[in-house]
Each structure stands twice: as C-alpha cells, then as structure tokens.
Amino acid sequence: GQQLNQSPQSMFIQEGEDVSMNCTSSSIFNTWLWYKQDPGEGPVLLIALYKAGELTSNGRLTAQFGITRKDSFLNISASIPSDVGIYFCAGHKASGTYKYIFGTGTRLKVLA
Amino acid sequence: NAGVTQTPKFRVLKTGQSMTLLCAQDMNHEYMYWYRQDPGMGLRLIHYSVGEGTTAKGEVPDGYNVSRLKKQNFLLGLESAAPSQTSVYFCASTDGLAARYEQYFGPGTRLTVT
C-alpha cells in the first residue's frame, strides 16, 4: 500500500541536540499526525495538525503543516535519552475519508 | 479514561486454530480500525468500521473477519490461523465528528502462529 516518505530513516544524535525530520507526499492532506512508537508498544499520538502553515508544540516537540499540504515537519529540541524510538507521520485526506496513510518511520537513537 | 485497550496482549496459535482479538475504546469514537504491523511493512489496514453495526475491508482483509455489535467494541477474528498471520495487531479509533481526525492506538496484540 501507499506510504509517505520520511527522512531521515534513522539518526544517532547526542543528548541535548535538536532533531528534525520530515514527511512528504505526492498528494494533499487535510490532517497530519505525528506519532512515537517504543519497542513492544503501540503508537502514541504526539501532535495533530489541521491547517496549512500551522505550527503546533507539545513540550519539546514542534510540528508544522507544510504550506503545500504535501509535507510536514517534526522538531525535537534538547533531546534526552527517552526520546529514543520510532517516529512516524500519518496523513488523512478529507472529511468522509476513513483511511490514513502512514510514513515509513524515522528511528531515533540518542547517545547520552 | 483508558483510551483504547486490547486483549490479549500475547497469543500463540497453531496453524488452523481460531481466535478473536478484542478492542475496546471509552472515548465514544465513531470510527475503529484494525491494523497489522510487520517489520519493513509499516501499518497495514485490515478492516475498519465507521459506526456501530458497520464494517468494511481494508488493504489486507483476507483471512480475517470483524464485527462491531457495540459502538465501543471492535472484534477481529481469525477463523483458521496461518503462519503468515504472525504479526503485531493494533486497534485504533478516531472521533470522526466535528472534523477531528486524531487516531488513537491500543497497546497491540503480538500473535505468533506456529
């Protein structure tokens, strides 16, 4: 099935560094969601975005809904060891559409 | 408010056996979903429901059946398990009303079919 392109696929960073990742699509979405998944756990919703250009924060996390509606970005500031995990995006097209398209995931590893 | 819960958390089946996975949500959400997650494949939609009493096929429905007799529950059945159904299964729910499309996931059920 269709998947959204996420980059980078994985990254090692030092504790305290800022992290950026993005998600791109060939089609337009009306909703972008960002999740974090720890090993053996279910995905946890971090941020939901509903408007082009919208910038939303959740603690040290900030996400943006791209102006073209075809991309979204997630930033993590001052990373800590518990930020380790897989981050993935999801797009939802429009009202009346029930399906979501998921990103390929970014695996984050934080070095203490 | 427990969100989305799933039972069981782990299960081992032999080929040909049947089982039912239960998903429950306490958020009064209209939409519910069953996904499977396999290494390198991401989340794939098995079946979904847009309301009590309704179900629809997703991307990979073969070998699975579902029922949504109550709004808060969504059951996934495997009638005759096959090794290819070894996977982690996630249930999710979405409000769907007032243009709210946040999707919340359960903790998952890890199924092994031998």
Side-chain angles (χ1 to χ4, degrees):
Chain A
Q2 182 186 358
Q3 281 189 301
L4 303 173
N5 294 318
Q6 265 186 259
S7 64
Q9 284 189 335
S10 65
M11 55 195 313
F12 282 90
I13 60 168
Q14 292 286 341
E15 183 177 359
E17 287 185 346
D18 296 345
V19 174
S20 292
M21 60 190 78
N22 67 72
C23 195
T24 60
S25 168
S26 58
S27 54
I28 291 171
F29 290 106
N30 286 345
T31 301
W32 283 97
L33 307 173
W34 282 94
Y35 291 89
K36 178 176 185 268
Q37 186 174 21
D38 293 327
E41 304 290 331
V44 174
L45 181 63
L46 300 173
I47 292 177
L49 301 160
Y50 287 99
K51 295 180 182 178
E54 179 182 359
L55 196 67
T56 297
S57 293
N58 177 5
R60 293 178 295 104
L61 279 62
T62 301
Q64 184 165 24
F65 193 136
I67 291 291
T68 66
R69 294 183 169 267
K70 294 182 178 181
D71 53 11
S72 182
F73 309 89
L74 178 69
N75 295 309
I76 305 173
S77 63
S79 58
I80 59 178
S82 62
D83 289 335
V84 165
I86 298 176
Y87 293 80
F88 63 88
C89 59
H92 181 270
K93 288 197 173 178
S95 163
T97 302
Y98 310 111
K99 300 180 183 179
Y100 295 76
I101 310 299
F102 294 94
T104 49
T106 294
R107 185 180 297 272
L108 180 64
K109 300 180 183 180
V110 180
L111 304 174
Chain B
N1 188 335
V4 180
T5 58
Q6 292 182 234
T7 54
K9 196 163 178 63
F10 301 95
R11 186 72 187 267
V12 178
L13 287 179
K14 293 185 178 178
T15 297
Q17 287 186 321
S18 63
M19 78 163 293
T20 300
L21 282 66
L22 172 64
C23 175
Q25 52 94 6
D26 60 3
M27 297 174 281
N28 201 35
H29 284 174
E30 292 295 323
Y31 306 166
M32 296 187 74
Y33 304 77
W34 276 106
Y35 295 93
R36 57 179 290 174
Q37 187 178 47
D38 302 291
M41 301 291 288
L43 287 161
R44 291 186 291 169
L45 182 63
I46 304 171
H47 285 281
Y48 64 99
S49 167
V50 300
E52 182 178 317
T54 72
T55 62
K57 294 181 180 180
E59 189 184 340
V60 288
D62 294 342
Y64 305 96
N65 57 75
V66 288
S67 65
R68 187 139 179 233
L69 300 179
K70 292 183 179 181
K71 186 177 183 178
Q72 63 268 33
N73 296 337
F74 195 28
L75 278 62
L76 178 71
L78 286 72
E79 290 188 349
S80 180
S84 61
Q85 293 177 305
T86 293
S87 188
V88 182
Y89 292 85
F90 289 104
C91 177
S93 72
T94 299
D95 186 342
L97 300 178
R100 303 298 299 185
Y101 296 105
E102 295 105 18
Q103 185 166 78
Y104 296 92
F105 285 84
T109 294
R110 186 173 296 274
L111 175 65
T112 302
V113 183
T114 62

